[in-house]
């Protein structure tokens, strides 16, 4: 009953995934929520109001007025009533309408009136999802403060395979539970997360860097913000920044800038997770002008950068919880344990470059977590969002002991 007495408006739009919304209603009701369903006209082609009304135990709302009873479905009242508005599935068409603030049906009018958190779970075919119009619409809706759930990748109703599947109802339900009932242990906690690569200038036009996309760090920032923490994200270049009220972003380029930003934020942090792939070496003497090609060979003198994580480990207070990452290609477990000890960490998250589907720039990751007592927990290959959730669960369980 984790959603006991929570008032949830579930919007359903015209997408084949609408059949899954019946299951979502059932799960939300099972968790104790009071669910009212609002359907668009085209949603009726995929699922019936009778099914949704029976499962939600509330009349299903589809229009501004009911011509038979003569009653008016007041969109303003509905918007104010809700603790959360979920639109699942949301079609490409309704996404576009929300961006423009159009309100030619009950659902879009409720959206404009709602003051509660809004969760959108897109479902459409892969090319519709990949279209720049949709990508831009989703970015705009995130910038308005809406939370986007998914979509997942897999086989689609068209027979094609790719991103566009609505996230499974059980996963949507747990996302809502986490968002509406923040983890008490994380509420108001300050979490520092580093993400992405750094760039070390060789001269004004060239640099040394690595393939990190920052996706893991961003997924962690979103996960902790969703669970009620106040997140500071220090992100290197090229990272797709999340948009969330409780994520403060510092953009940095070099290892030195990352060190400065992290050191400042760490002093006030309760938890620090260093997921960035910081350059271990930087040019000793970067040239002020572009280096000309003259000789057949060119050597570059490098000096070590400060290990940010190690520095934090040295200054960490008993009340602070420090998490590092280890990317290894051989002797993984032993190397990770050595890093955990050397850097005085509470947890280390090991990624092996040997695991297919894991590592730099991929959507998925396969991790092993090792705690201070050297207890090892191995996880399956999962999406970075799921991995972030596993890491958050592990940190919470350590903090709860
Ligand atoms: N890290 C850091 N500052 C650095 C280098 C690394 O904060 N200058 C952090 C990373 O964010 C990560 C952890 O240290 O959490 C592990 O980084 P990794 O490069 O795998 O390990 P190193 O300690 O640099 O050891 P090695 O390169 O020998 O594997």
């Amino acid at each position: 009953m984790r959603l006991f007495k929570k008032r949830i408006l579930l919007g359903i739009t015209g997408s084949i995934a609408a059949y899954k919304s019946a299951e979502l209603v059932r799960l939300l009701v099972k968790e104790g929520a009071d669910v009212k369903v609002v359907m668009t006209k085209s949603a009726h082609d995929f699922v019936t109001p009778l099914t949704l009304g029976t499962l939600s135990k509330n009349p299903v709302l589809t229009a501004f007025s009911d011509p038979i009873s003569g009653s008016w479905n007041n969109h303003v009242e509905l918007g104010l009533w809700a603790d959360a508005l979920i639109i699942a599935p949301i079609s490409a068409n309704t996404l576009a309408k929300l961006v423009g603030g159009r309100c030619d049906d009950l659902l879009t009018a409720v959206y404009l009136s709602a003051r509660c958190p809004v969760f959108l779970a897109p479902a459409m075919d892969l090319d519709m999802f990949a279209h720049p119009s949709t990508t831009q619409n989703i970015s705009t809706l995130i910038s308005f403060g809406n939370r986007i759930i998914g979509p997942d990748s897999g086989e689609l109703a068209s027979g094609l395979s790719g991103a566009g599947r609505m996230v499974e109802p059980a996963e949507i339900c747990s996302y809502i539970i986490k968002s509406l009932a923040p983890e008490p242990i994380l509420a108001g906690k300050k979490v520092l997360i580093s993400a992405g690569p750094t760039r070390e200038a060789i001269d004004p036009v060239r640099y040394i860097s690595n393939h990190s996309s920052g996706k893991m760090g961003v997924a962690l920032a979103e996960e902790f913000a969703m669970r009620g923490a106040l997140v500071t994200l220090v992100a290197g270049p090229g990272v797709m920044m999340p948009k969330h009220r409780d994520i403060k972003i510092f953009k940095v380029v070099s290892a030195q800038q990352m060190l400065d930003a992290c050191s400042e934020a760490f002093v006030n942090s309760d938890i620090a997770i260093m997921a960035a792939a910081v350059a271990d070496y930087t040019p000793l003497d970067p040239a002020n002008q572009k280096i000309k090609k003259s000789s057949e060979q060119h050597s570059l003198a490098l000096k070590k950068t400060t290990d940010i994580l190690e520095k934090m480990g040295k200054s960490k207070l008993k009340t602070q919880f420090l998490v590092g990452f280890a990317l290894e290609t051989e002797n993984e477990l032993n190397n990770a344990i050595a890093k955990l000890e050397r850097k005085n960490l509470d947890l280390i998250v090991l990624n092996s470059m040997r695991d297919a589907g894991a590592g730099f720039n991929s959507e998925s990751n396969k991790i092993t977590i090792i705690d201070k007592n050297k207890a090892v927990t191995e996880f399956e290959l999962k999406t970075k969002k799921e991995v972030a959730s596993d890491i958050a669960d592990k940190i919470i369980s350590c903090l709860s002991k």
Side-chain angles (χ1 to χ4, degrees), residues 194 255 274-280 305-310 323-328 339 342-343:
S194 72
M274 295 293 100
V278 189
D280 287 330
T305 58
T306 304
D307 191 316
I308 307 169
L309 185 63
E310 195 168 340
V323 182
F325 273 69
L327 179 64
E328 303 293 340
K339 255 175 219 178
R342 193 177 76 239
K343 301 194 186 189

mmCIF file of all heavy atoms in Angstrom, residues 194 255 274-280 305-310 323-328 339 342-343, ligand 1:
data_model
loop_
_atom_site.group_PDB
_atom_site.id
_atom_site.type_symbol
_atom_site.label_atom_id
_atom_site.label_comp_id
_atom_site.label_asym_id
_atom_site.label_seq_id
_atom_site.Cartn_x
_atom_site.Cartn_y
_atom_site.Cartn_z
ATOM 1 N N SER A 194 29.794 12.987 -10.009
ATOM 2 C CA SER A 194 30.587 13.450 -11.156
ATOM 3 C C SER A 194 30.261 12.542 -12.334
ATOM 4 O O SER A 194 29.944 11.363 -12.157
ATOM 5 C CB SER A 194 32.084 13.416 -10.836
ATOM 6 O OG SER A 194 32.554 12.089 -10.792
ATOM 7 N N ALA A 255 40.277 18.136 -15.993
ATOM 8 C CA ALA A 255 40.366 17.419 -14.709
ATOM 9 C C ALA A 255 40.537 18.417 -13.566
ATOM 10 O O ALA A 255 39.971 18.236 -12.486
ATOM 11 C CB ALA A 255 41.537 16.434 -14.749
ATOM 12 N N MET A 274 31.537 9.242 -7.489
ATOM 13 C CA MET A 274 32.416 9.723 -8.556
ATOM 14 C C MET A 274 32.337 8.771 -9.749
ATOM 15 O O MET A 274 33.034 7.765 -9.818
ATOM 16 C CB MET A 274 33.861 9.843 -8.049
ATOM 17 C CG MET A 274 34.058 10.889 -6.960
ATOM 18 S SD MET A 274 33.809 12.596 -7.529
ATOM 19 C CE MET A 274 32.158 12.898 -6.963
ATOM 20 N N ALA A 275 31.451 9.117 -10.677
ATOM 21 C CA ALA A 275 31.243 8.264 -11.850
ATOM 22 C C ALA A 275 31.984 8.795 -13.072
ATOM 23 O O ALA A 275 31.917 8.199 -14.146
ATOM 24 C CB ALA A 275 29.746 8.159 -12.141
ATOM 25 N N ALA A 276 32.675 9.921 -12.913
ATOM 26 C CA ALA A 276 33.350 10.514 -14.077
ATOM 27 C C ALA A 276 34.585 9.710 -14.468
ATOM 28 O O ALA A 276 35.208 9.059 -13.637
ATOM 29 C CB ALA A 276 33.758 11.951 -13.750
ATOM 30 N N ALA A 277 34.891 9.770 -15.754
ATOM 31 C CA ALA A 277 36.123 9.158 -16.254
ATOM 32 C C ALA A 277 37.145 10.290 -16.379
ATOM 33 O O ALA A 277 37.319 10.877 -17.450
ATOM 34 C CB ALA A 277 35.878 8.495 -17.603
ATOM 35 N N VAL A 278 37.758 10.598 -15.261
ATOM 36 C CA VAL A 278 38.694 11.740 -15.204
ATOM 37 C C VAL A 278 40.020 11.326 -15.839
ATOM 38 O O VAL A 278 40.500 10.219 -15.595
ATOM 39 C CB VAL A 278 38.960 12.132 -13.725
ATOM 40 C CG1 VAL A 278 39.743 13.427 -13.639
ATOM 41 C CG2 VAL A 278 37.652 12.241 -12.947
ATOM 42 N N ALA A 279 40.591 12.220 -16.631
ATOM 43 C CA ALA A 279 41.902 11.909 -17.237
ATOM 44 C C ALA A 279 42.921 11.724 -16.123
ATOM 45 O O ALA A 279 42.970 12.518 -15.183
ATOM 46 C CB ALA A 279 42.332 13.049 -18.145
ATOM 47 N N ASP A 280 43.711 10.662 -16.218
ATOM 48 C CA ASP A 280 44.735 10.415 -15.195
ATOM 49 C C ASP A 280 45.977 11.265 -15.448
ATOM 50 O O ASP A 280 46.747 11.527 -14.526
ATOM 51 C CB ASP A 280 45.132 8.930 -15.192
ATOM 52 C CG ASP A 280 44.026 8.067 -14.595
ATOM 53 O OD1 ASP A 280 43.302 8.574 -13.725
ATOM 54 O OD2 ASP A 280 43.887 6.900 -15.012
ATOM 55 N N THR A 305 47.251 13.876 -12.992
ATOM 56 C CA THR A 305 46.239 14.783 -12.432
ATOM 57 C C THR A 305 46.000 14.367 -10.979
ATOM 58 O O THR A 305 46.404 13.278 -10.568
ATOM 59 C CB THR A 305 44.904 14.658 -13.195
ATOM 60 O OG1 THR A 305 44.479 13.298 -13.114
ATOM 61 C CG2 THR A 305 45.042 15.080 -14.642
ATOM 62 N N THR A 306 45.327 15.219 -10.239
ATOM 63 C CA THR A 306 44.983 14.842 -8.864
ATOM 64 C C THR A 306 43.848 13.825 -8.926
ATOM 65 O O THR A 306 42.876 14.028 -9.659
ATOM 66 C CB THR A 306 44.499 16.084 -8.077
ATOM 67 O OG1 THR A 306 45.519 17.049 -8.169
ATOM 68 C CG2 THR A 306 44.167 15.764 -6.633
ATOM 69 N N ASP A 307 43.971 12.754 -8.172
ATOM 70 C CA ASP A 307 42.874 11.791 -8.089
ATOM 71 C C ASP A 307 41.818 12.369 -7.144
ATOM 72 O O ASP A 307 42.014 12.422 -5.928
ATOM 73 C CB ASP A 307 43.388 10.436 -7.593
ATOM 74 C CG ASP A 307 42.332 9.349 -7.762
ATOM 75 O OD1 ASP A 307 41.154 9.625 -7.437
ATOM 76 O OD2 ASP A 307 42.666 8.257 -8.220
ATOM 77 N N ILE A 308 40.703 12.819 -7.735
ATOM 78 C CA ILE A 308 39.668 13.525 -6.966
ATOM 79 C C ILE A 308 39.090 12.612 -5.886
ATOM 80 O O ILE A 308 38.930 12.984 -4.729
ATOM 81 C CB ILE A 308 38.541 14.019 -7.909
ATOM 82 C CG1 ILE A 308 39.140 14.825 -9.065
ATOM 83 C CG2 ILE A 308 37.502 14.834 -7.146
ATOM 84 C CD1 ILE A 308 38.179 15.130 -10.186
ATOM 85 N N LEU A 309 38.814 11.382 -6.312
ATOM 86 C CA LEU A 309 38.210 10.412 -5.402
ATOM 87 C C LEU A 309 39.137 10.114 -4.221
ATOM 88 O O LEU A 309 38.710 10.068 -3.055
ATOM 89 C CB LEU A 309 37.914 9.133 -6.191
ATOM 90 C CG LEU A 309 37.190 8.016 -5.495
ATOM 91 C CD1 LEU A 309 35.794 8.443 -5.074
ATOM 92 C CD2 LEU A 309 37.079 6.790 -6.412
ATOM 93 N N GLU A 310 40.407 9.925 -4.529
ATOM 94 C CA GLU A 310 41.383 9.620 -3.482
ATOM 95 C C GLU A 310 41.488 10.791 -2.499
ATOM 96 O O GLU A 310 41.562 10.591 -1.279
ATOM 97 C CB GLU A 310 42.746 9.330 -4.124
ATOM 98 C CG GLU A 310 43.699 8.664 -3.176
ATOM 99 C CD GLU A 310 44.925 8.111 -3.894
ATOM 100 O OE1 GLU A 310 44.879 7.905 -5.117
ATOM 101 O OE2 GLU A 310 45.927 7.900 -3.202
ATOM 102 N N VAL A 323 31.505 6.861 -2.807
ATOM 103 C CA VAL A 323 31.392 5.761 -3.776
ATOM 104 C C VAL A 323 32.277 6.054 -4.989
ATOM 105 O O VAL A 323 32.236 7.152 -5.551
ATOM 106 C CB VAL A 323 29.928 5.601 -4.256
ATOM 107 C CG1 VAL A 323 29.795 4.425 -5.214
ATOM 108 C CG2 VAL A 323 28.985 5.439 -3.070
ATOM 109 N N GLY A 324 33.048 5.063 -5.376
ATOM 110 C CA GLY A 324 33.880 5.210 -6.573
ATOM 111 C C GLY A 324 33.508 4.180 -7.618
ATOM 112 O O GLY A 324 32.795 3.207 -7.334
ATOM 113 N N PHE A 325 33.994 4.396 -8.822
ATOM 114 C CA PHE A 325 33.812 3.442 -9.908
ATOM 115 C C PHE A 325 35.178 2.871 -10.287
ATOM 116 O O PHE A 325 36.194 3.554 -10.135
ATOM 117 C CB PHE A 325 33.198 4.128 -11.136
ATOM 118 C CG PHE A 325 31.698 4.176 -11.103
ATOM 119 C CD1 PHE A 325 31.038 4.984 -10.190
ATOM 120 C CD2 PHE A 325 30.936 3.406 -11.980
ATOM 121 C CE1 PHE A 325 29.660 5.029 -10.137
ATOM 122 C CE2 PHE A 325 29.554 3.437 -11.943
ATOM 123 C CZ PHE A 325 28.913 4.249 -11.029
ATOM 124 N N ALA A 326 35.185 1.678 -10.782
ATOM 125 C CA ALA A 326 36.423 1.103 -11.291
ATOM 126 C C ALA A 326 36.112 0.447 -12.619
ATOM 127 O O ALA A 326 35.207 -0.390 -12.709
ATOM 128 C CB ALA A 326 36.974 0.080 -10.311
ATOM 129 N N LEU A 327 36.814 0.888 -13.644
ATOM 130 C CA LEU A 327 36.659 0.255 -14.958
ATOM 131 C C LEU A 327 37.910 -0.573 -15.185
ATOM 132 O O LEU A 327 39.017 -0.034 -15.243
ATOM 133 C CB LEU A 327 36.513 1.340 -16.035
ATOM 134 C CG LEU A 327 36.357 0.840 -17.459
ATOM 135 C CD1 LEU A 327 35.064 0.045 -17.613
ATOM 136 C CD2 LEU A 327 36.342 2.002 -18.434
ATOM 137 N N GLU A 328 37.735 -1.877 -15.263
ATOM 138 C CA GLU A 328 38.900 -2.754 -15.330
ATOM 139 C C GLU A 328 38.839 -3.641 -16.564
ATOM 140 O O GLU A 328 37.756 -3.957 -17.065
ATOM 141 C CB GLU A 328 38.963 -3.643 -14.077
ATOM 142 C CG GLU A 328 38.995 -2.876 -12.756
ATOM 143 C CD GLU A 328 40.270 -2.077 -12.545
ATOM 144 O OE1 GLU A 328 41.285 -2.384 -13.193
ATOM 145 O OE2 GLU A 328 40.247 -1.121 -11.741
ATOM 146 N N LYS A 339 41.460 -0.649 -5.074
ATOM 147 C CA LYS A 339 41.060 0.764 -5.228
ATOM 148 C C LYS A 339 40.186 1.203 -4.064
ATOM 149 O O LYS A 339 40.326 2.308 -3.548
ATOM 150 C CB LYS A 339 40.269 0.930 -6.528
ATOM 151 C CG LYS A 339 41.067 1.586 -7.619
ATOM 152 C CD LYS A 339 40.327 1.644 -8.941
ATOM 153 C CE LYS A 339 41.317 1.368 -10.058
ATOM 154 N NZ LYS A 339 40.721 1.354 -11.373
ATOM 155 N N ARG A 342 42.565 1.666 -1.138
ATOM 156 C CA ARG A 342 43.520 2.766 -1.327
ATOM 157 C C ARG A 342 42.823 4.125 -1.240
ATOM 158 O O ARG A 342 43.352 5.080 -0.698
ATOM 159 C CB ARG A 342 44.203 2.611 -2.685
ATOM 160 C CG ARG A 342 45.419 3.500 -2.844
ATOM 161 C CD ARG A 342 46.141 3.280 -4.167
ATOM 162 N NE ARG A 342 45.457 3.885 -5.288
ATOM 163 C CZ ARG A 342 45.023 3.234 -6.349
ATOM 164 N NH1 ARG A 342 45.166 1.934 -6.428
ATOM 165 N NH2 ARG A 342 44.431 3.864 -7.336
ATOM 166 N N LYS A 343 41.580 4.170 -1.767
ATOM 167 C CA LYS A 343 40.892 5.466 -1.830
ATOM 168 C C LYS A 343 39.933 5.669 -0.652
ATOM 169 O O LYS A 343 39.192 6.629 -0.628
ATOM 170 C CB LYS A 343 40.169 5.591 -3.174
ATOM 171 C CG LYS A 343 41.108 5.492 -4.383
ATOM 172 C CD LYS A 343 40.473 5.950 -5.676
ATOM 173 C CE LYS A 343 41.369 5.693 -6.876
ATOM 174 N NZ LYS A 343 40.896 6.297 -8.109
HETATM 175 N N1 LIG B 1 38.952 9.258 -10.390
HETATM 176 C C1 LIG B 1 38.996 10.551 -9.897
HETATM 177 N N2 LIG B 1 40.002 11.390 -10.282
HETATM 178 C C2 LIG B 1 40.957 10.975 -11.114
HETATM 179 C C3 LIG B 1 40.927 9.646 -11.623
HETATM 180 C C4 LIG B 1 39.906 8.817 -11.236
HETATM 181 O O1 LIG B 1 38.128 10.953 -9.129
HETATM 182 N N3 LIG B 1 41.912 11.810 -11.488
HETATM 183 C C5 LIG B 1 37.869 8.392 -9.942
HETATM 184 C C6 LIG B 1 36.860 8.004 -10.990
HETATM 185 O O2 LIG B 1 35.797 8.925 -11.046
HETATM 186 C C7 LIG B 1 36.406 6.640 -10.520
HETATM 187 C C8 LIG B 1 37.624 6.070 -9.834
HETATM 188 O O3 LIG B 1 38.451 7.181 -9.545
HETATM 189 O O4 LIG B 1 35.391 6.727 -9.549
HETATM 190 C C9 LIG B 1 38.380 5.040 -10.594
HETATM 191 O O5 LIG B 1 39.018 5.525 -11.696
HETATM 192 P P1 LIG B 1 39.985 4.590 -12.577
HETATM 193 O O6 LIG B 1 40.541 5.436 -13.669
HETATM 194 O O7 LIG B 1 39.288 3.328 -12.950
HETATM 195 O O8 LIG B 1 41.068 4.200 -11.550
HETATM 196 P P2 LIG B 1 42.440 4.798 -11.158
HETATM 197 O O9 LIG B 1 42.413 5.033 -9.703
HETATM 198 O O10 LIG B 1 42.771 5.978 -11.998
HETATM 199 O O11 LIG B 1 43.418 3.605 -11.383
HETATM 200 P P3 LIG B 1 43.976 2.950 -12.741
HETATM 201 O O12 LIG B 1 43.969 4.009 -13.803
HETATM 202 O O13 LIG B 1 45.332 2.533 -12.327
HETATM 203 O O14 LIG B 1 43.085 1.794 -13.030
#
